[in-house]
Every structure is written in structure tokens, then in C-alpha cells.
Amino acid sequence: MPTNDLTKNIQQSFQELEGKIENHSFPFSPREVGVVKSISAGVVIVSGLPNVGFEELLKFPANLFGIAYNIDETEIGVILLGEYPLLNVGDNVERTGRVMDIPVGNAFIGRVINPLGEPMDNKGFIAQSERFAIERPAPAIMDRNAVSVPLQTGIKVIDALIPIGRGQRELILGDRQTGKTAIAVDTIINQKDKNVICIYCAIGQRVASVAKVIANLKEKGAMDYTIVVVTEGNNAPGLKYIAPYAATSMAEYFMEQGKDVLIVYDDLTQHARAYRELSLLLRRPPGREAFPGDIFYIHSRLLERATQLNNKRGNGTLTALPIIETEAQNISAYIPTNLISITDGQIYLSPKLFELGILPAVDVGKSVSRIGGKAQLPAFSSITGSLKLAYAQFEELESYARFGTRIDEHSKKIIEHGKRIRSWLKQLELQPMSVPEQIMVLLALTEGLFDQIDIDKMGIAEVALLKKSIELSEEILQNIFSKKKLNNQEKEAILAIAAETLADFETPSEKNES
């Protein structure tokens, strides 16, 4: 009897299995697979994949990815996003059906990553909340507001004479080793406790340079609100090309939450060279200086994403500080002129000022901010009105006086005052100044209080004056940050503190005359 039951159960099981097999459908899911035809430095040519889209992400063996960039009738030019020592001609290539994107989220704050969102700081896995495409359309004009809030850099010459507003694009340019990165780093450090998320994007930089920047940010506590996106000089050109777009998408994640974001591109010269390399390997026709014809477009569509959103979009801002390297002070070269025309102003760093030890070496005459003045605190604009003109007159008279020409007393006073302005331009690296400190020194300078002091003592006198900024009344401090200009009574109160402090540094002859 037990044998019969066992046989019956087995037969029943086989019948059920046969029924399921007969009724089972085998779905057919087609896959497009291409083949690698040739491999160059960072670029491969692929055949097949007839339905691939422009900038679609393609997958190669060994977890290597690339972006479809040239789509011809019979083949595709692909930009590789990584090293390719294991890639061979004849390897299969698969479509992913999506464009290149990057993970975004709050978890990336304080981390060092590459343009693919992978950690580079040995701190472990980063939790992902969303993914944003690296190429995203810029906000429409109707979604934007005018720039109206200042972004304080902590660098007195910039905040006073070349102000930057939140949502502005301000170009930093100059020859090699003139302090371009230092200005950007000081600006990031000055955003502490100002609710600004900062992103530093290093494009093709030396490892030592990036390590120094990260060390400075950590030392000043700036990594608590900063993301560092890094591509090194020996990375694939494809990674250098996508780096600024990936960093901007990370910035847009915070901007769309209504936050203020500052992004630094260091530097777009390396980005342009990486794109030129890729374009020449893809056999795109070269133009001026061998750059492809769309080099202007790749930078304009990047920087156009920096803006001030309106209230409906959350009122967030994205401020961009692109950096460009010039050669032999030639700001009329192809890439610098492109970016000057795209951005809202430029901060030019002069090698001559750098050699004279005037750091930061900002050339006030060649630098301009086209919209930042509308966002500048009125306390600054009420003081700095004549400062640029006085400095320009000083430079003209100084070059004239070098010929040994006799000059009158009035011209001598202009030269002596100009020397104090030039000394005022100096500021130590990694020591940004607060707004009250800048106002205190700036007002004393414009009113001629420093003219009574020997030029060699001006640095010590300025330090003493900065310490006195804590004695300003609460009412004056509130008015400095308000949308009102300082009135005469407030200026006199500040000047009284400044005059008392600087009296100790006046030369004996000047004291007797006063």
C-alpha cells in the first residue's frame, strides 16, 4: 500500500511539472551588442549598436564605461571614462539605455570623490539618495531672479572693489603661479557659518596641489560644508571632460533645495585641453589653436547653469568661480576671451604685482564685476566710490615720477596716498577678513588716516586696527549688514576709534604737525 501511494505522488508531481512546462512562456529580450574596432588614448571606435543615442552610456568589459559621442552611419566614437589596459579590439560593448549620471546627496559633503561619484578619501562607501544626469538644461530665464545678495570672499580688495553676488559667474585668470587657486580657497574658507555649500572641482591638477588644497580646507574647518571633486593630471581625458559637469549637477541638487552653493572650477584651461585631445582623436575638424569649433558652447552651457533661482523654484543660488590660466599675460587668447565673454566679470592676477610681493596680486584696473555691485553691501559702496580713481591716478603719476620729473605738492600727496592703497591691497593667504574689519580699515584708508603713518609700519597699524573692530556698537554692526548706507554719524564713530588707534603709529613729525 505505501508503494502505491508513493507511485501515485510521483506521477502526480510529473504531471504538474509537465503542465507548467507546456504553459510556460519564454520571453525574448533583445540586447544590442557592439564590437570594439580600434582603441586610442581615451577614445575607442565601436561598430554596431544601430539605435544608440548621443551621449548614451555604454558598458565595456571589466566594468569600464564610456559615452557615445560621435554617431556616424557605420561606427560610433566613444569617450572612455577610465583606464583601458584590459580593453582589446573585438571586445563586446553593451548599451545601458541611459545617459551619464552621478549620485548626489547630503552624504557627499565633506568627502573627496571622482567625477563618477566614487570616494577617493578612504572613508568608505557613500550612501546615494538620487542620481542626476551630468548634462542638465540650465534654468529658464523666467525661473531666475536678479543677483541681489553679496557673496563675501573675505578678500578686502575683491569685496570692496570687485564684489561678487550669489548667483554670479566671476572668472579668475592669470599666469601660472600667481595665486588663482589661493583666492578660490580663501573664498571657500570665508563661507564658514554662512550656510553656503561649497564644491571644489580640480580638473587635471597635480596630486600635490590638490592635497595642499584639501589640507588647507581641513585645517580651517571648511571640509564640513565642502565637496571636493578630483581628476588628476594622469587620469583619462574623458574623466577630465565630465568633471565640471558632474560637479555642477551635485551643486544643482543643493540649489534646487533652496540652498546657496559656491562652485570652483580649477581650472577650465585643463578642461579645454582635454576636450581638444578627445576631439582630435575623434577626428573632429580643428579650428583656432586646434580647438574644435564648439569649445565655446561646452563652456557656455556649463556656466549658464549658475544662477539665482526665483521664489517658485526655491530661491537657491549657484555661484561659479571658473579659473583660467593665461600665457605671458595674454588675456586676448582664444580660451580666455571665450570665458570673459561668457562670465559676468573677471579678477585678473598680475605677475608684476606678484613679483612685488603684493598678494593677492589682483590688478584692480583690469578686473571688473559687471553685476556684483548691485549686490554689494551699501556700507562698502558708500566708502569705495573714489578708491579706484585714486589708485589709477597714483599709478599714472608714479610712472611719470620715475623719469625724475619734479612734481608739485598735490601730486606728492596723491602718490603717498596711492602707496597706502597699494599696501592695503596686501592680505595674507588663508586669513579672510570679516565685513566689520574690512569696513574699519577701508574707511580709515579713504579718509587718509593711514597717510600719517610710515609705509613700513602700515601692516602693523592695520593689524592693530582690525582688533578694534570688536569695539563697534551693535547698532553700527547691524547697519553695516543692512541695506542702508552708513550715515555721517556712524562714519565719525568708526573714524574716532580708528584715529585713536592709529595715533600710536604716526611718525613724530606728523604728530607735531597734527
Side-chain angles (χ1 to χ4, degrees):
M1 190 68 178
T3 306
N4 293 335
D5 291 342
L6 180 60
T7 304
K8 185 178 179 180
N9 289 336
I10 293 174
Q11 289 175 347
Q12 186 177 355
S13 298
F14 274 109
Q15 287 174 356
E16 290 178 0
L17 183 60
E18 289 175 0
K20 289 183 178 180
I21 292 174
E22 289 176 0
N23 297 326
H24 181 72
S25 61
F26 294 90
F28 177 71
S29 55
R31 286 190 310 153
E32 284 191 32
V33 179
V35 178
V36 175
K37 288 181 62 178
S38 66
I39 304 172
S40 303
V43 168
V44 298
I45 304 300
V46 175
S47 62
L49 305 178
N51 297 313
V52 73
F54 178 63
E55 291 190 346
E56 182 176 341
L57 196 65
L58 303 179
K59 186 175 182 180
F60 294 83
N63 206 31
L64 177 65
F65 290 90
I67 300 175
Y69 217 75
N70 270 16
I71 301 179
D72 299 325
E73 187 174 351
T74 59
E75 59 185 25
I76 303 162
V78 182
I79 296 173
L80 292 177
L81 302 178
E83 302 304 324
Y84 48 93
L86 301 179
L87 191 62
N88 298 302
V89 173
D91 284 346
N92 288 342
V93 188
E94 295 182 22
R95 291 182 59 192
T96 62
R98 60 187 176 92
V99 295
M100 176 61 197
D101 54 18
I102 185 172
V104 296
N106 292 325
F108 287 89
I109 297 177
R111 301 297 299 271
V112 181
I113 61 173
N114 66 13
L116 303 177
E118 300 168 345
M120 299 180 66
D121 50 9
N122 299 320
K123 292 184 179 180
F125 176 75
I126 303 175
Q128 304 175 10
S129 57
E130 291 184 59
R131 296 188 74 91
F132 275 16
I134 64 168
E135 291 273 12
R136 307 179 77 229
I141 293 176
M142 299 303 294
D143 292 334
R144 304 180 184 221
N145 268 350
V147 174
S148 58
V149 180
L151 180 92
Q152 300 298 146
T153 65
I155 303 170
K156 51 191 177 182
V157 62
I158 295 177
D159 289 343
L161 302 178
I162 319 156
I164 300 172
R166 297 189 182 187
Q168 184 173 342
R169 301 157 296 182
E170 185 77 5
L171 180 65
I172 302 173
L173 76 162
D175 286 7
R176 292 189 63 198
Q177 302 297 321
T178 51
K180 301 184 294 298
T181 301
I183 285 182
V185 172
D186 282 357
T187 304
I188 292 174
I189 292 171
N190 195 56
Q191 304 315 307
K192 191 173 185 178
D193 300 325
K194 292 182 174 62
N195 296 320
V196 178
I197 303 295
C198 300
I199 298 179
Y200 176 78
C201 179
I203 307 169
Q205 298 296 309
R206 292 183 295 116
V207 177
S209 300
V210 178
K212 181 182 177 183
V213 169
I214 295 172
N216 289 334
L217 294 177
K218 286 181 178 178
E219 180 186 350
K220 297 297 182 178
M223 283 301 292
D224 295 340
Y225 51 87
T226 302
I227 303 171
V228 180
V229 181
V230 177
T231 55
E232 300 169 0
N234 58 352
N235 283 152
L239 280 178
K240 298 177 193 175
Y241 169 67
I242 69 167
Y245 300 103
T248 305
S249 291
M250 301 199 77
E252 287 175 333
Y253 170 80
F254 298 103
M255 179 181 70
E256 292 176 2
Q257 294 179 347
K259 297 180 180 179
D260 296 314
V261 189
L262 168 68
I263 186 167
V264 175
Y265 305 109
D266 190 10
D267 62 39
L268 290 185
T269 308
Q270 298 292 341
H271 182 246
R273 289 169 181 166
Y275 185 65
R276 175 171 62 183
E277 179 182 349
L278 293 170
S279 297
L280 293 175
L281 288 168
L282 290 171
R283 300 190 181 279
R284 293 189 170 191
R288 181 176 167 187
E289 296 181 20
F291 287 104
D294 61 343
I295 190 72
F296 180 90
Y297 174 61
I298 72 163
H299 285 154
S300 62
R301 76 172 186 256
L302 170 69
L303 294 170
E304 189 65 19
R305 294 161 71 177
T307 187
Q308 159 83 63
L309 295 178
N310 60 20
N311 294 331
K312 290 183 180 179
R313 291 288 301 274
N315 216 28
T317 65
L318 175 54
T319 309
L321 295 181
I323 297 175
I324 274 290
E325 180 185 301
T326 57
E327 296 180 0
Q329 307 176 51
N330 182 17
I331 63 174
S332 61
Y334 187 35
I335 301 301
T337 50
N338 277 352
L339 282 151
I340 287 172
S341 63
I342 293 169
T343 51
D344 306 311
Q346 67 273 352
I347 298 169
Y348 176 69
L349 300 180
S350 167
K352 293 180 181 178
L353 292 176
F354 190 88
E355 291 167 4
L356 292 172
I358 301 170
L359 304 176
V362 177
D363 189 325
V364 177
K366 293 182 180 178
S367 302
V368 65
S369 178
R370 299 188 183 97
I371 61 176
K374 297 177 181 178
Q376 188 181 33
L377 290 173
F380 277 105
S381 56
S382 64
I383 298 173
T384 59
S386 60
L387 197 60
K388 258 192 174 182
L389 178 60
Y391 190 62
Q393 289 176 335
F394 154 68
E395 289 185 316
E396 288 290 333
L397 284 172
E398 186 185 39
S399 59
Y400 182 70
R402 285 177 185 151
F403 294 103
T405 310
R406 291 185 180 181
I407 52 178
D408 57 86
E409 288 299 320
H410 177 66
S411 298
K412 285 181 180 179
K413 287 183 179 180
I414 293 176
I415 291 176
E416 289 302 315
H417 183 59
K419 287 180 179 179
R420 271 70 182 174
I421 297 175
R422 176 181 285 171
S423 180
W424 166 81
L425 293 174
K426 298 178 183 179
Q427 185 172 340
L428 295 176
E429 188 178 349
L430 303 177
Q431 293 186 15
M433 289 185 184
S434 66
V435 173
E437 290 175 336
Q438 294 186 47
I439 292 295
M440 175 79 84
V441 176
L442 190 57
L443 188 57
L445 177 71
T446 55
E447 293 297 325
L449 296 185
F450 282 106
D451 294 355
Q452 319 292 328
I453 299 170
D454 190 271
I455 192 70
D456 296 329
K457 296 180 181 179
M458 186 170 168
I460 305 172
E462 184 178 340
V463 172
L465 189 56
L466 292 176
K467 294 178 181 178
K468 289 290 184 178
S469 63
I470 60 175
E471 297 182 8
L472 295 177
S473 67
E474 190 65 31
E475 182 182 356
I476 292 178
L477 290 175
Q478 289 180 357
N479 287 340
I480 285 175
F481 289 98
S482 70
K483 294 185 179 180
K484 298 179 181 179
K485 292 185 177 182
L486 294 176
N487 57 41
N488 292 333
Q489 185 178 356
E490 291 165 341
K491 288 182 180 178
E492 288 173 3
I494 297 173
L495 287 172
I497 298 173
E500 182 182 352
T501 305
L502 297 178
D504 296 335
F505 298 93
E506 293 181 12
T507 58
S509 59
E510 296 288 353
K511 283 185 178 181
N512 295 333
E513 289 178 8
S514 58

